[in-house]
Amino acid sequence: MLSTRTAEPAFFSKSTSLATVLVIALVVFLSSPPTSGHGLLHEQIVVVSTQLKAAPNDKTLRLRLAELFIAHSQPEKARKELSKLTNSQPPHIPALLSFASFEKRQGTHKKALSLIDAYLQLGGTKEVSHSERAYILSALGSHHEASKSWGRFLELSKSPTAQQFSDAGISFLSEGEFQKGQRIVEKGLLIYPRSIPLHQTTARLMLSLRDFKSAQLQFKKLRNHYPSLSHRLYYDEGILLSKEGLKPEATKAFKSALSQFNKLPARKKSLPALKALKIELQSKIP
């Protein structure tokens, strides 16, 4: 009868020690090329840089290199490549949008606004440019213009995210356009009925209209959807109520948040973020 025993690999003898095997495995691991994270990004940067040396006028390659530098947390190198593209004649239109988004994340909002305006003036058509412009304008305190950009974005976008619906609603709310903000948020809730940001924005709208019961109902709906987040949702409710000057109601929400927190498993309560939340809650309860 033939034996069904699997033969041992030729490169390991029976006398090979476990320690030797582990050392060999470690050498193989360390000598293997990285397959993820910054190691892979570095490899891609090397490849694209080499390609760009062979084709220095390839704007698509240069934009790809800039995006890789951004992903690899090398902002100055990214800025250098993006500047080459946007200072060329004519400017590379896709690079203007990428550069604007980059400067927005860097907090240089005036530069970001000039770049995104140039993108639109030169015929840029991506709808995301309008939401980016709205965020930039809001950061600069130009809320009226931001609302206009949100309106344009919502006209063009086929699939806004829940967060974008929420932020657009808040933008109109800050301009006193409660009904328009409410319509936007309600439309978002039809698509994302379990969205935390949208329910919270609805609560904010209701509070602005002094409709406290409706505002609190939004948080109740969220707690029904996400019972494991009740501690956080009560906290968020308390923050919103306190901003509206409703201190007794806010204190009640903070007490409920602490009560829900105390029901969490010990391993969750020991997490640094939740420890910080408990301290915050205790500081807000008289």
Side-chain angles (χ1 to χ4, degrees), residues 228-229 231 259-269 274:
S228 64
L229 297 178
H231 59 288
S259 174
Q260 292 298 315
F261 176 91
N262 290 331
K263 295 177 183 177
L264 292 173
R267 59 181 178 78
K268 288 191 75 172
K269 287 190 284 190
L274 287 180

Side-chain angles (χ1 to χ4, degrees), residues 11-62:
F11 47 83
F12 288 146
S13 70
K14 289 183 179 179
S15 61
T16 304
S17 70
L18 177 60
T20 303
V21 173
L22 291 174
V23 168
I24 292 170
L26 180 62
V27 170
V28 171
F29 172 77
L30 292 175
S31 61
S32 299
T35 57
S36 63
H38 275 214
L40 180 58
L41 285 171
H42 177 72
E43 285 187 358
Q44 290 175 328
I45 287 170
V46 171
V47 170
V48 175
S49 296
T50 303
Q51 293 172 336
L52 196 55
K53 285 179 182 177
N57 295 322
D58 190 324
K59 294 183 177 181
T60 301
L61 269 179
R62 193 171 297 282

Side-chain angles (χ1 to χ4, degrees), residues 17-201:
S17 70
L18 177 60
T20 303
V21 173
L22 291 174
V23 168
I24 292 170
L26 180 62
V27 170
V28 171
F29 172 77
L30 292 175
S31 61
S32 299
T35 57
S36 63
H38 275 214
L40 180 58
L41 285 171
H42 177 72
E43 285 187 358
Q44 290 175 328
I45 287 170
V46 171
V47 170
V48 175
S49 296
T50 303
Q51 293 172 336
L52 196 55
K53 285 179 182 177
N57 295 322
D58 190 324
K59 294 183 177 181
T60 301
L61 269 179
R62 193 171 297 282
L63 180 57
R64 175 64 180 146
L65 180 60
E67 290 169 345
L68 285 168
F69 280 137
I70 292 170
H72 202 254
S73 302
Q74 299 185 62
E76 291 310 314
K77 289 184 178 181
R79 185 177 277 115
K80 182 179 177 181
E81 298 302 330
L82 288 168
S83 294
K84 288 178 183 178
L85 289 166
T86 56
N87 290 333
S88 64
Q89 293 301 324
H92 186 53
I93 294 177
L96 286 165
L97 179 56
S98 293
F99 204 176
S101 296
F102 168 77
E103 294 293 2
K104 183 199 77 172
R105 292 192 295 272
Q106 294 296 306
T108 45
H109 294 106
K110 288 184 178 179
K111 176 75 178 291
L113 182 60
S114 67
L115 287 163
I116 211 154
D117 283 347
Y119 170 83
L120 291 167
Q121 288 164 9
L122 289 171
T125 58
K126 285 192 174 182
E127 66 261 20
V128 70
S129 62
H130 295 284
S131 62
E132 287 289 84
R133 189 171 188 270
Y135 284 125
I136 293 164
L137 287 163
S138 291
L140 290 170
S142 301
H143 300 295
H144 181 65
E145 290 300 314
S147 295
K148 287 183 179 179
S149 288
W150 275 122
R152 184 64 177 148
F153 169 75
L154 293 173
E155 286 174 10
L156 296 172
S157 180
K158 294 179 181 178
S159 55
T161 65
Q163 190 64 59
Q164 286 168 334
F165 273 118
S166 176
D167 292 338
I170 289 171
S171 182
F172 282 102
L173 170 62
S174 66
E175 280 296 293
E177 297 187 55
F178 301 111
Q179 291 184 342
K180 193 163 187 178
Q182 189 172 0
R183 284 198 300 271
I184 289 169
V185 174
E186 286 174 350
K187 183 177 179 180
L189 280 169
L190 289 174
I191 303 169
Y192 306 102
R194 295 167 65 94
S195 164
I196 291 176
L198 283 168
H199 279 289
Q200 290 178 330
T201 302

Side-chain angles (χ1 to χ4, degrees), residues 206-219:
M206 294 298 101
L207 284 174
S208 298
L209 296 170
R210 315 308 287 177
D211 186 350
F212 308 127
K213 287 186 178 180
S214 294
Q216 290 175 311
L217 179 62
Q218 296 303 315
F219 280 100

